[in-house]
Amino acid sequence: MVMHVLIPPGGRAEFLITIPPQNQFAQLIAQKYDTGPAGESTPYRVIANLDASDRGPLASSTMPGVPVGIAAPPPATLAGLKPAHLRKLYFSESANPAIYYITLEGHMPKAFDMRFKRPNVTVKQGAVEDWVIENRANEAHAFHIHQLHFQVMERDGRPANDPSLRDTIDLPFWDGKAAYPSVKLRMDFRSPDIIGTFLYHCHILEHEDAGMMGIIRVVK
Ligand SMILES: [Cu+2]
């Protein structure tokens, strides 16, 4: 039984719960999360009190809109695919004024410009790539990309053993001493529908609005 799911800003999780018996107290809570010395406060919060009662309305036996007897196929793993490229991107910040960056390794950190002329990253449709995302800031960030899903292959250089396909992943804050926190993501650009220009960014919206965003173009 899973008791705890880490959901970064912009992340989603779907789960089924066993309701406690009558007269037994239960809560759905958000745990306190340490976003680092430069981060926001994310204290313990109660999301819901669970109260089992036979006075409530009867639950319907099927969820509305979900066909009965059709199970979703398990998500295809990206683990066996060979990446065509390895790219490294990193989160960083400057203070006074506060500017937030996501930078392709080897380039100068630059805040996102809505009037961009060229994309930060160009990828060929059909490819699978590995992207290493590092957090070089003293505050947690959340990497998010539009249009596709990725699989977390490694965290801090060690195998993640995580079959989930995601579009958002948490990056804990850098403590200023040890190696930068990192994830290695296997990015799936195989769908023909992916051709076009779109965004990747931190999903903490103040960060995104203050520059932490980049443009990717997928070409034929
Ligand atoms: Cu951020």
Side-chain angles (χ1 to χ4, degrees):
M1 191 162 42
V2 175
M3 298 298 288
H4 171 226
V5 184
L6 179 62
I7 307 176
R12 289 86 67 210
E14 215 172 278
F15 49 89
L16 296 170
I17 60 167
T18 305
I19 292 290
Q22 278 197 43
N23 304 318
Q24 195 173 312
F25 181 68
Q27 282 185 323
L28 179 64
I29 57 149
Q31 291 185 359
K32 177 180 188 298
Y33 183 80
D34 185 0
T35 61
E40 310 290 329
S41 162
T42 53
Y44 169 98
R45 279 160 296 178
V46 175
I47 298 172
N49 290 318
L50 305 180
D51 179 16
S53 163
D54 51 16
R55 302 182 308 275
L58 284 176
S60 67
S61 55
T62 56
M63 300 270 281
V66 177
V68 179
I70 299 176
T77 175
L78 306 177
L81 300 172
K82 206 174 145 30
H85 280 289
L86 175 70
R87 297 180 203 263
K88 191 187 255 186
L89 293 93
Y90 63 93
F91 288 122
S92 64
E93 301 177 8
S94 62
N96 299 323
I99 307 177
Y100 296 80
Y101 309 103
I102 181 164
T103 312
L104 197 63
E105 180 77 299
H107 290 67
M108 284 294 288
K110 241 182 89 202
F112 177 72
D113 178 3
M114 209 49 108
R115 296 153 302 168
F116 72 96
K117 297 234 167 35
R118 273 175 300 153
N120 302 94
V121 179
T122 303
V123 174
K124 222 162 151 43
Q125 183 265 321
V128 172
E129 297 197 355
D130 277 358
W131 287 20
V132 172
I133 317 290
E134 271 181 0
N135 190 2
R136 302 183 186 177
N138 304 121
E139 135 172 61
H141 293 290
F143 177 81
H144 170 66
I145 188 162
H146 295 187
Q147 306 294 83
L148 66 104
H149 289 88
F150 52 75
Q151 186 173 347
V152 182
M153 305 308 293
E154 293 178 9
R155 195 177 270 276
D156 299 329
R158 287 184 292 279
N161 299 318
D162 178 359
S164 315
L165 293 179
R166 303 169 185 267
D167 61 18
T168 311
I169 189 72
D170 65 288
L171 267 298
F173 68 92
W174 179 50
D175 63 6
K177 291 179 274 205
Y180 298 123
S182 72
V183 285
K184 184 194 263 187
L185 311 177
R186 186 145 300 163
M187 314 285 282
D188 185 2
F189 298 102
R190 291 176 299 167
S191 164
D193 295 336
I194 202 153
I195 292 167
T197 302
F198 51 97
L199 296 159
Y200 55 87
H201 58 87
C202 176
H203 218 303
I204 296 169
L205 300 183
E206 302 89 64
H207 300 175
E208 165 205 292
D209 291 350
M212 210 168 233
M213 180 146 73
I215 289 281
I216 173 170
R217 182 165 292 157
V218 182
V219 297
K220 228 174 155 158

